[in-house]
Amino acid sequence: MIRFRKLARAASLLTTPLAPEDILSLFNPVYSARQLRGVVTRVVPETADSATIFFRPGRGWQAHLAGQWARIGVELDGVRHWRSYSLSAPAGQDPAITVTDLGAVSAALVRNTKPGDVLFLAPPQGDFVLPEHPRPLLMLTAGSGITPVMSMIRTLVPHRADSDVVLIHTARTPADAIFREELAELADQFPHFRVIHWFTGERGRLDFSSAAGLEQLCPDWRQRAAYACGPESFLDDAEALWEAETATAEPSSEATLTIERFSTKLAGGEGHDGGLVTFEASDREVEADGDTPLLDVGEDAGVLMPSGCRMGICHSCLIPLRAGQVRDLRTDEVHGEPGQLIQTCVSAAAGPVNLDL
Ligand SMILES: Cc1cc2nc3c(=O)[nH]c(=O)nc-3n(C[C@H](O)[C@H](O)[C@H](O)COP(=O)(O)OP(=O)(O)OC[C@H]3O[C@@H](n4cnc5c(N)ncnc54)[C@H](O)[C@@H]3O)c2cc1C
Ligand code: FES
């Protein structure tokens, strides 16, 4: 660190069009006084559509708890896009993300990332983490939803002989099941860990409409702290089952469910009226409909928009409203006072809107 401060001072004395941070980044790609960065150390293909990217973060990163996620920034055609990714490495080890190719940013990460590349980062966050006190656990995951749970399993299972973990993971086919071999090895090695792979291509969807299906796979599910991560419909079904259980539960039931969502349902497509959106500081004006998040409107207009989860949970996209009103795409509520901070990822224009960006 001291060496870098000296270098920073020396760099600032040089007369050059480059800022001192830019000179330092020539020596060390993860150095930046303004933006946390990480350098990719290894890329491991997982399935045909997914890969794990290991990186060494620079100063400002905090060690992650098993199950947490981080915002990752990637530059595509000169525009920086931020997405959230769960950290799949165990707590206490260098971070890694496991990305499934679903759209432009994830495709770039899975297909084009190589060792030495620099990622833009924000520190880990999230409360989808292991319980404070040991409890028998039931993990329900589907597709890429295995990633935060894999961090928990890697953290817990090899190090805690008193742990008791059942994982039910669904994927379309064995070839699509991320971490399948490692999970099988862990289950062979540690009797307190049981893994059930459910392949929807062979057996259809895992049925959560009643407790019977789950009971067959994990008879004592009511005595376990459950964690679920996967697509919307999978999580909605699990939520409904646990809600029904809580409503009729025996006093002895200890069923709890903690959910991590990677995407959220927005109302959209209702044909609401939008308006002219003005990005004051960026000097851009664009006509927007009443169903498109202002985050997308700004990005499409080339405005550098702050963002994170893109689903209303992390508050990274807050921008002060100067004038006008917005529609909350989750609730359909129209609101807005001058100076109010709005979440652009879940707000659409409801008439003309001026934003302080
Ligand atoms: C807290 C959090 C943790 C996340 N962790 C991971 C992770 O560990 N690995 C990972 O691959 N992705 C993860 N995601 C999703 C990730 O942030 C991106 O949304 C995803 O990579 C798609 O981005 P894109 O730009 O490629 O495609 P976009 O064009 O932005 O999105 C393509 C479509 O895919 C939908 N989508 C996003 N994620 C999923 C999903 N998991 N299943 C089905 N549809 C989805 C989007 O809603 C959109 O409709 C996480 C998201 C959040 C909020
Ligand atoms: S980007 Fe996370 S709340 Fe909007």
Side-chain angles (χ1 to χ4, degrees), residues 249-328:
E250 312 253 318
S252 63
S253 169
E254 294 177 43
T256 59
L257 176 67
T258 309
I259 281 184
E260 181 80 319
R261 288 182 189 270
F262 285 179
S263 57
T264 196
K265 261 193 273 315
L266 298 180
E270 302 292 324
H272 293 113
D273 287 338
L276 185 70
V277 181
T278 307
F279 297 90
E280 298 275 0
S282 313
D283 201 19
R284 300 275 163 91
E285 277 187 353
V286 54
E287 202 57 59
D289 64 41
D291 302 302
T292 304
L294 289 167
L295 177 57
D296 294 348
V297 172
E299 283 180 344
D300 290 347
V303 179
L304 193 58
M305 303 287 292
S307 72
C309 67
R310 307 180 78 88
M311 54 183 286
I313 55 172
C314 73
H315 293 88
S316 303
C317 62
L318 289 175
I319 292 179
L321 190 64
R322 279 211 182 162
Q325 291 214 304
V326 297
R327 177 182 308 281
D328 187 316

Side-chain angles (χ1 to χ4, degrees), residues 49-51 67-70 72 76 81-88 96-110 125-126 128 142-148 178 229-232 260-265 296 299 308-314:
D49 294 326
S50 63
Q68 285 192 310
W69 54 276
I72 308 286
L76 301 180
H81 299 266
W82 287 92
R83 294 289 184 274
S84 307
Y85 291 99
S86 302
L87 296 155
S88 51
I97 53 173
T98 302
V99 181
T100 299
D101 176 356
L102 284 174
V105 176
S106 52
L109 281 166
V110 173
Q125 55 179 298
F128 187 75
S144 57
I146 184 70
T147 51
I178 306 174
C229 185
E232 293 267 11
E260 181 80 319
R261 288 182 189 270
F262 285 179
S263 57
T264 196
K265 261 193 273 315
D296 294 348
E299 283 180 344
C309 67
R310 307 180 78 88
M311 54 183 286
I313 55 172
C314 73

